[in-house]
């Protein structure tokens, strides 16, 4: 396993982060690739400044975009074509998450088929590698659809949001096994910011643990997956969480 780090960088158009701070946080967290969100209309002046700052620190940058509605129609393709037209990026990172939709229950198979089509259509219209975010439990609850989506992408980021190595590994086990059979590379994603979920927040994020615990647990994950050539590293969600993470 190559222990490279990725990081989601969500850029609010009304309050963009300072490019120098973004680059400094990426360097502190040893980030090799940043997924920088791109507005619907395409890269803004802020996008250009943030990408330039990250590249100045040797960070690879992918265009990040996603909306739960992107399981239907051609919106994802239209966004991708605008996002990549300026040749700013070295990859495309899709964070669509239809399981967060209000109408998810009862439409699971339909929405996952839509996600598969979306990933397929984006990948067919770009020469850049396409990475897709997936929650690991899909591999158990909807194994066929999980495999179909993963096959359409070049790589998968498994959002295994737990705050202890044993739980990260257990949560992602079925998904990692499925990706191994498919020959797909993957990252393990972890949460660093506060989240509101039905489960206790403390189980899902390092926000209340701090950086020392994060480093300790990620080192255990890396050691456990060292022999898995398909695992390319970990990914930190996200810049805002890393900025506030305690010691």
């Amino acid at each position: 396993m190559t222990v490279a780090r990725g990081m989601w960088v969500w850029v609010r158009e009304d309050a963009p982060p300072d490019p120098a701070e973004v680059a400094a946080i990426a360097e502190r967290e040893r980030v090799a690739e940043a997924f920088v969100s791109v507005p619907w209309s395409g890269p803004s002046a802020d996008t250009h400044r943030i990408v330039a700052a990250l590249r100045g620190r040797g960070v690879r940058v992918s265009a990040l975009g996603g909306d739960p509605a992107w399981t239907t129609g051609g919106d994802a393709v239209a966004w991708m074509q605008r996002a990549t037209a300026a040749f700013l990026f070295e990859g495309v990172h899709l964070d669509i998450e239809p399981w967060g939709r209000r109408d998810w229950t009862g439409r699971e198979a339909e929405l996952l088929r839509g996600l598969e089509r979306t990933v397929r259509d984006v990948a067919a219209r770009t020469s850049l590698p396409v990475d897709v975010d997936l929650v690991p439990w899909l591999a158990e609850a909807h194994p066929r659809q999980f495999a179909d989506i993963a096959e359409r992408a070049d790589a998968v980021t498994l959002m295994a949001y737990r705050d202890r190595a044993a739980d990260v590994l257990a949560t992602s086990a079925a998904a990692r096994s499925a990706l191994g059979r498919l020959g797909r590379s993957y990252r393990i994603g972890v949460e660093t910011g506060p989240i509101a979920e039905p489960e206790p927040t403390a189980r899902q994020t390092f926000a209340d643990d701090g950086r020392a615990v994060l480093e300790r647990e990620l080192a255990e994950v890396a050691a456990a997956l060292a022999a898995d050539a398909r695992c390319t590293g970990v990914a930190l969600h996200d810049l805002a969480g890393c900025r506030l993470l305690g010691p």
Side-chain angles (χ1 to χ4, degrees):
M1 173 186 176
T2 303
V3 189
R5 286 192 177 182
M7 182 172 68
W8 286 264
V9 179
W10 294 102
V11 181
R12 287 178 50 188
E13 292 183 67
D14 60 339
D18 176 68
E21 183 188 20
V22 174
I25 292 173
E27 184 173 50
R28 183 189 71 198
E29 302 298 339
R30 308 188 304 283
V31 170
E33 180 176 3
F35 324 131
V36 176
S37 66
V38 179
W40 171 250
S41 57
S44 65
D46 291 312
T47 310
H48 282 265
R49 285 191 286 268
I50 290 168
V51 170
L54 287 165
R55 282 209 171 137
R57 301 290 181 102
V59 178
R60 183 178 185 271
V61 188
S62 289
L64 168 63
D67 186 300
W70 286 5
T71 56
T72 55
D75 287 348
V77 171
W79 166 81
M80 179 276 295
Q81 290 174 326
R82 285 191 292 270
T84 60
F87 302 101
L88 277 180
F89 300 103
E90 297 164 89
V92 176
H93 193 102
L94 297 176
D95 183 41
I96 297 173
E97 303 191 42
W99 45 88
R101 290 172 52 141
R102 292 181 180 179
D103 60 350
W104 166 254
T105 302
R107 297 185 64 195
E108 298 93 337
E110 173 193 351
L111 292 172
L112 291 173
R113 285 195 299 271
L115 178 56
E116 179 202 348
R117 289 193 297 271
T118 296
V119 177
R120 177 199 68 193
D121 292 347
V122 169
R125 289 166 175 78
T126 180
S127 60
L128 298 175
V130 175
D131 191 350
V132 62
D133 290 338
L134 293 175
V135 284
W137 55 260
L138 287 175
E140 297 178 270
H142 304 281
R144 174 63 182 273
Q145 289 89 348
F146 177 89
D148 289 345
I149 296 164
E151 283 192 304
R152 299 296 187 178
D154 294 289
V156 173
T157 298
L158 293 173
M159 298 185 292
Y161 290 173
R162 292 292 184 269
D163 66 351
R164 293 297 182 269
D167 292 335
V168 169
L169 294 167
T171 297
S172 64
R176 289 186 286 109
S177 178
L179 292 171
R181 292 191 295 271
L182 294 169
R184 284 292 177 273
S185 61
Y186 67 90
R187 291 186 183 92
I188 296 290
V190 296
E191 179 64 75
T192 65
I195 54 177
E197 292 288 344
E199 297 181 66
T201 300
R203 290 186 56 198
Q204 297 191 35
T205 178
F206 288 95
D208 58 330
D209 295 310
R211 182 166 289 103
V213 175
L214 171 72
E215 295 292 346
R216 182 191 73 202
E217 299 302 320
L218 290 186
E220 289 191 26
V221 170
L225 299 178
D228 187 351
R230 298 292 176 187
C231 185
T232 60
V234 298
L236 306 176
H237 191 274
D238 60 356
L239 172 76
C242 289
R243 177 193 286 126
L244 298 175
L245 198 62

